[in-house]
Amino acid sequence: MSTIIDTFIAPQCLEEIELLYQDDHLLLINKPAGLLSLSGKNPLNLDSVHYRLVKMFPGCTLVHRLDFGTSGLMVIARNKAINAALCQQFSQRSVTKIYRALLCGHLHDNEGVIDAPIAKDPALFPLMSICPINGKPARSRYQVIERTHHVLEDGTLLPLTRVELTPETGRTHQLRIHCQLLGHPILGCDLYDGLLQAGTGQTPRLMLHASALNFVHPVSGERINARNACPF
């Protein structure tokens, strides 16, 4: 059995977490890109969403995570009971998560579904892989918002497609690997070919943002439809 060795050291994140909503039960935040959701085992990776928030809100716990490079909406539980109630909604897939992304190249279809199982292989860490045999079911929907070009310093036009991505499951790296499979990796994705196309090497971040989060408040029963504008 292969042993996972995580050698990643997160660079310092100077951006603050934006607190969008709070009550006695939960928080809604806008996570900056370049910040871990949860502190790593390496003491050099102590800084994280949880590390910062627990100082202000003792007892708070993460219900879900966003990748280090992904920005956007997260819901945080302020106690164990709320965490359990929200986790149940996530496990039952009654939570809707919507992302905005910039993909390399121009997609041919205006919308579609990517249905490809994802597996974890310690030998490939931190990469995930598409595996029909051992992978867990993974399904994502995409819709094109616009096809555009970014003008590089030498005048070259870099084709990009702005999309809305809706994961129907919640596998690690799901949107990143599904977009790679589609043939249009997310711009700035260092793990899944988002920095290979000419002109993409200086991309400042992973161009993936959690822009919408819909769930039911565990105490009030109110439907929460959180929105957060895409920064790119």
Side-chain angles (χ1 to χ4, degrees), residues 85-139:
L86 288 171
C87 283
Q88 185 176 32
Q89 291 187 46
F90 275 89
S91 65
Q92 293 175 345
R93 298 181 186 173
S94 58
V95 177
T96 301
K97 297 173 289 182
I98 300 174
Y99 295 74
R100 291 291 178 96
L102 280 175
L103 305 189
C104 297
H106 285 168
L107 273 71
H108 179 267
D109 296 326
N110 288 328
E111 59 183 32
V113 175
I114 309 157
D115 198 340
I118 295 174
K120 180 183 296 185
D121 184 348
L124 298 175
F125 183 83
L127 293 173
M128 305 296 287
S129 61
I130 301 296
C131 183
I133 299 175
N134 299 317
K136 294 182 179 180
R139 182 180 172 94

Side-chain angles (χ1 to χ4, degrees), residues 18-111:
E18 183 182 4
L19 183 60
L20 303 174
Y21 171 81
Q22 71 176 93
D23 61 25
D24 292 337
H25 312 289
L26 57 82
L27 313 169
L28 276 172
I29 68 162
N30 178 27
K31 172 193 166 307
L35 180 65
L36 294 168
S37 290
L38 194 65
S39 302
K41 294 181 179 180
N42 190 316
L44 295 177
N45 288 332
L46 185 62
D47 190 25
S48 68
V49 169
H50 181 259
Y51 178 77
R52 294 185 186 186
L53 289 181
V54 78
K55 294 179 180 179
M56 299 181 286
F57 304 98
C60 73
T61 55
L62 298 192
V63 179
H64 62 124
R65 304 183 191 184
L66 291 178
D67 285 349
F68 168 77
T70 305
S71 57
L73 287 165
M74 292 181 68
V75 59
I76 312 293
R78 295 194 63 178
N79 59 61
K80 291 183 179 179
I82 296 300
N83 183 290
L86 288 171
C87 283
Q88 185 176 32
Q89 291 187 46
F90 275 89
S91 65
Q92 293 175 345
R93 298 181 186 173
S94 58
V95 177
T96 301
K97 297 173 289 182
I98 300 174
Y99 295 74
R100 291 291 178 96
L102 280 175
L103 305 189
C104 297
H106 285 168
L107 273 71
H108 179 267
D109 296 326
N110 288 328
E111 59 183 32

Side-chain angles (χ1 to χ4, degrees), residues 113-120 128-141 168-182:
V113 175
I114 309 157
D115 198 340
I118 295 174
K120 180 183 296 185
M128 305 296 287
S129 61
I130 301 296
C131 183
I133 299 175
N134 299 317
K136 294 182 179 180
R139 182 180 172 94
S140 308
R141 290 186 284 117
E168 296 182 2
T169 52
R171 308 302 174 202
T172 301
H173 296 176
Q174 177 174 316
L175 295 178
R176 298 165 72 178
I177 195 170
H178 273 180
C179 288
Q180 179 197 44
L181 181 66
L182 195 63

Side-chain angles (χ1 to χ4, degrees), residues 71 100-102 162 186 205-209 229-232:
S71 57
R100 291 291 178 96
L102 280 175
R162 188 179 301 275
I186 298 175
R205 54 159 291 183
L206 174 68
M207 295 300 181
L208 181 63
H209 178 76
C230 183
F232 50 81

